[in-house]
């Protein structure tokens, strides 16, 4: 699938979202904008490998329709290379009191092969206040994949929060060039203890993160002499403007 076709699909998804009843012609047409970095952290693995990791997003739009950028990355500070470098541009609109639908494009440009994806998904709050972000992707080569990201903020005091999280990735077909096998491909579990320093805008934290690859994806990593699992101590800063 060519990039131009992928952009057309993404544009179609975006237009579809824009025609959801109530979207675009919002009762409250005020334009909002914001930026937040859920994770901006330094990681040290159990084998002394060092990483700089981030998970951030920014948006501009109304209550009914927003343009959102989502960026995730992981830089190997020892090898001076990007293990992961992902940018998404999506349109997002409410579909219920607690969930939004979103659609757009994802661009991966890490060390090695690049990929473009069309993406659709939902994001919002599940019962018991679990934050859920679920996405489906189709690459420019026609390979499908899915990701589920769940997080829960447990308030221990007015300023101290314990946040467990997990992310799981699955692929519907193999893409050997980017070393992803069919089936459950990878997962990450995290536990972070944060302190609200300034009105939830500046929040330093410490914690642990565990990453693991599965199935053929793990076999590809072993074949290339890479680790298929790692545990990290993390320290970082959550910021929001």
């Amino acid at each position: 699938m060519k990039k131009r076709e992928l952009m057309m699909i993404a544009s179609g998804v975006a237009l579809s979202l824009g025609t959801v009843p109530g979207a675009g012609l919002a009762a409250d047409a005020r334009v909002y904008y914001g930026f937040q970095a859920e994770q901006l952290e330094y990681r040290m693995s159990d084998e002394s490998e060092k990483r700089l990791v981030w998970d951030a997003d920014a948006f501009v739009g109304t209550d009914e329709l927003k343009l959102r950028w989502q960026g995730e990355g992981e830089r190997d500070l020892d090898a001076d290379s990007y293990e992961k470098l992902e940018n998404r541009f999506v349109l997002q609109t409410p579909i219920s009191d607690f969930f939004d639908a979103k659609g757009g494009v994802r661009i991966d440009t890490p060390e090695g092969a690049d990929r473009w994806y069309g993406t659709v998904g939902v994001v919002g709050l599940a019962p018991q206040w679990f934050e859920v972000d679920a996405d489906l992707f189709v690459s420019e080569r026609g390979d499908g994949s899915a990701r589920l990201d769940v997080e829960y903020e447990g308030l221990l005091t007015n300023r101290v929060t314990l946040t467990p999280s997990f992310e799981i990735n699955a692929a519907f077909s193999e893409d050997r060039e980017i070393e992803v096998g069919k089936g459950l491909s990878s997962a990450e579990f995290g536990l972070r203890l944060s302190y609200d320093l300034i009105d939830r805008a500046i929040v330093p934290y410490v914690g642990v993160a565990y990453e693991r690859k599965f199935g053929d994806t793990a076999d590809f990593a072993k074949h290339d002499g890479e680790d298929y699992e790692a545990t990290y101590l993390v320290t970082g800063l959550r910021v929001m403007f």
Side-chain angles (χ1 to χ4, degrees), residues 37-241:
E38 282 285 332
Q39 295 176 12
L40 180 58
E41 65 190 31
Y42 174 83
R43 296 185 177 186
M44 173 75 78
S45 79
D46 49 357
E47 296 184 356
S48 300
E49 298 172 336
K50 298 179 282 296
R51 299 279 192 275
L52 178 64
V53 175
W54 61 92
D55 180 356
D57 72 272
F59 72 89
V60 60
T62 67
D63 282 340
E64 298 298 330
L65 186 64
K66 295 181 179 67
L67 174 63
R68 183 178 295 276
W69 162 78
Q70 296 175 280
E72 297 183 29
E74 182 174 330
R75 186 165 182 79
D76 185 332
L77 298 179
D78 300 307
D80 196 26
S81 63
Y82 288 104
E83 292 290 313
K84 178 180 181 181
L85 188 57
E86 174 184 315
N87 288 283
R88 274 189 273 175
F89 300 91
V90 299
L91 285 179
Q92 181 173 324
T93 190
I95 55 173
S96 72
D97 289 341
F98 294 99
F99 275 90
D100 289 358
K102 56 181 180 175
V105 295
R106 166 184 156 192
I107 307 163
D108 285 11
T109 54
E111 199 76 19
D114 298 344
R115 285 288 182 273
W116 286 63
Y117 300 85
T119 173
V120 294
V122 294
V123 59
L125 287 175
Q128 308 303 319
W129 304 105
F130 285 92
E131 297 180 18
V132 176
D133 191 347
D135 296 282
L136 292 172
F137 307 104
V138 179
S139 78
E140 64 198 271
R141 296 162 54 109
D143 295 312
S145 57
R147 177 183 299 167
L148 175 64
D149 193 340
V150 179
E151 181 177 295
Y152 179 80
E153 292 189 353
L155 200 62
L156 301 182
T157 73
N158 286 335
R159 289 183 176 273
V160 179
T161 302
L162 185 65
T163 305
S165 64
F166 79 87
E167 177 185 297
I168 191 164
N169 293 276
F172 306 125
S173 55
E174 178 181 304
D175 188 342
R176 183 67 178 87
E177 192 174 10
I178 58 172
E179 299 184 338
V180 173
K182 185 179 179 181
L184 180 61
S185 55
S186 65
E188 177 178 320
F189 303 89
L191 186 65
R192 293 169 176 82
L193 184 67
S194 61
Y195 180 78
D196 183 0
L197 193 62
I198 304 176
D199 296 333
R200 297 184 64 81
I202 304 293
V203 183
Y205 62 83
V206 295
V208 294
Y210 173 72
E211 296 178 350
R212 181 183 171 88
K213 297 174 181 175
F214 300 94
D216 290 342
T217 305
D219 292 338
F220 294 152
K222 294 174 187 175
H223 180 269
D224 294 340
E226 300 174 354
D227 294 331
Y228 68 95
E229 65 176 344
T231 303
Y232 296 93
L233 293 176
V234 309
T235 180
L237 193 67
R238 183 178 301 169
V239 296
M240 180 171 63
F241 301 103

